Structures are given as C-alpha cells and as structure tokens.
Amino acid sequence: AQRVTQPEKLLSVFKGAPVELKCNYSYSGSPELFWYVQYSRQRLQLLLRHISRESIKGFTADLNKGETSFHLKKPFAQEEDSAMYYCALSGRNKETSGSRLTFGEGTQLTVNP
Amino acid sequence: DTEVTQTPKHLVMGMTNKKSLKCEQHMGHRAMYWYKQKAKKPPELMFVYSYEKLSINESVPSRFSPECPNSSLLNLHLHALQPEDSALYLCASSQDLQGRNSPLHFGNGTRLTVT
C-alpha cells in the first residue's frame, strides 16, 4: 500500500520568513514523489518532482529515503506563494503495470504581509 | 497546446438527468484520468485510461460511465446522480502510465452540482 501524510492542514508564515511544508510517505518500492500546487481559482499544477532535483519559484524538495520524507522548502516566502500544496506519490501498480498517484491531504499555506 | 481543456466549466443537473463531461488534450499523452475533488480535499482517482483502454476503475458507481473515443478525448457520462456526487471533476493526462517521471497535467475541472 502507498500512503502520503501531510501533518499540517494549515500553515501561516510572514513574508520573507522561511517555510517548510512536511510530507512523509509509506511505500515498499522505489517511489516517485511530486509536489502539486493549487492557487486560488487556478488548476492543480505540478510544482516539483524529485527526480528532476530542480528549484521552481524558489522551492526545493529533497527525497530522504531514510526518513521517508519529501519536505518542500523555501528560504523566503512571498505572498504569491499562498496556495494549497499537495504532496503526491506515484507507485507502480502490479495489476496494471502502470502507476497510481496518491495525494496527501494537502497543506494550505498562507503568507501574510 | 500544453493544456487539458474541460467542458463545461459549471454544470447543474437534477437526479434524473443525463449529462456528459468532456475533456480534451493535444499533447500526445496516452494516459488520461478522471478525478473527483471535494472542497479542501485532495483529488480522488476515479478512472484511468491507457492507450484508449480502461486501465483502472476505482470501484466507482455505475452512474458514472467513462468513455475514451480517441487518444485526445475523454468523456464522463453521468446518469441518476445523487446530491453527494456534487464536486469538482478533474480530468488529467500524462505521457504514459509506465514512464518514470510522467507527471499529470490537470484541466480546470467541471464544477458539478446535483440538485
């Protein structure tokens, strides 16, 4: 079974402060991890994927297999970062030879001026 | 074209109506998905199509009937829905099911209200 846990439903920080959105996962195989973001009245969109090891909009996320975590970090939060953030895990499905994406419950980030 | 387009944006239907949701992508993606999203909740997978064949049905009630007429189109036919089926229905596509690092591209969704 695959599971994604985002322990914080709500997270509020001030502009310019560092922000960390936590994500822990449970999966027996080799996971593929993603962060998706949903800004107000916009479509759900991919923010980061662990395999790319990239920084998007100042956000980074490192896969820590020992701690089974994929926390999202940004050193200086901006007001426009306010959104719902979903951590997601793609695990191989033996029945279909495909992959199923499992989302965490999401963290609503609010960056205050 | 790098978007997934869904129509209609909003839909209000009675419990005896029959309606359809439509989804289109022209990115050459071979996997397409239907998700259901309730307010402040993550998307829940309903159906997955791979190469126009139904690959996954997450035990969705038969009042929801998916259809994939071709590689660019995905429909969701609705019949005899219940008020609790009111939600945002999201369509998504990805390059393929099996490829590593094949993220989903989501549409804006159809906001469905069942009265």
Side-chain angles (χ1 to χ4, degrees), chain A residues 30-32 34 36 38 42-44 46 49 51-52 84 86 92-93 96-101 103-105 108, chain B residues 3-5 33 35 37 40-43 45 55-56 58 88 90 97-104 106-108:
Chain A
S30 183
E32 300 171 44
F34 305 86
Y36 283 83
Q38 196 166 28
Q42 292 188 30
R43 69 183 66 205
L44 190 61
L46 177 69
R49 40 193 165 177
I51 201 166
S52 299
M84 177 70 87
Y86 292 102
R92 195 150 297 276
N93 184 310
T96 65
S97 298
S99 297
R100 177 184 269 102
L101 194 67
F103 288 90
E105 287 291 308
Q108 179 68 49
Chain B
E3 283 198 353
V4 175
T5 304
Y33 310 75
Y35 281 85
Q37 187 178 26
K40 300 296 183 186
K41 287 290 188 180
L45 183 64
S55 177
I56 296 176
E58 291 285 86
L88 182 69
L90 296 171
L97 275 183
Q98 299 188 28
R100 292 187 69 83
N101 194 26
S102 184
L104 298 184
F106 284 90
N108 275 323

Side-chain angles (χ1 to χ4, degrees), chain B residues 46-96:
Chain B
M46 299 175 72
F47 302 104
V48 181
Y49 272 83
S50 176
Y51 291 85
E52 299 150 56
K53 290 198 171 114
L54 185 64
S55 177
I56 296 176
N57 177 339
E58 291 285 86
S59 302
V60 179
S62 59
R63 58 185 184 269
F64 296 91
S65 176
E67 179 197 18
C68 189
N70 60 55
S71 60
S72 300
L73 294 175
L74 186 66
N75 299 322
L76 186 63
H77 303 297
L78 315 172
H79 175 54
L81 294 194
Q82 304 296 313
E84 59 264 28
D85 296 322
S86 299
L88 182 69
Y89 287 84
L90 296 171
C91 176
S93 69
S94 63
Q95 195 166 13
D96 57 53

Side-chain angles (χ1 to χ4, degrees), chain A residues 43-86:
Chain A
R43 69 183 66 205
L44 190 61
Q45 57 188 283
L46 177 69
L47 179 64
L48 280 180
R49 40 193 165 177
H50 90 270
I51 201 166
S52 299
R53 302 182 67 82
E54 59 202 343
S55 173
I56 303 291
K57 299 184 179 181
F59 284 97
T60 59
D62 290 319
L63 178 62
N64 186 322
K65 290 188 178 180
E67 295 183 359
T68 59
S69 68
F70 188 56
H71 303 326
L72 183 68
K73 299 177 185 177
K74 184 169 183 176
F76 308 104
Q78 303 299 315
E79 289 178 69
E80 55 266 28
D81 296 328
S82 297
M84 177 70 87
Y85 290 81
Y86 292 102

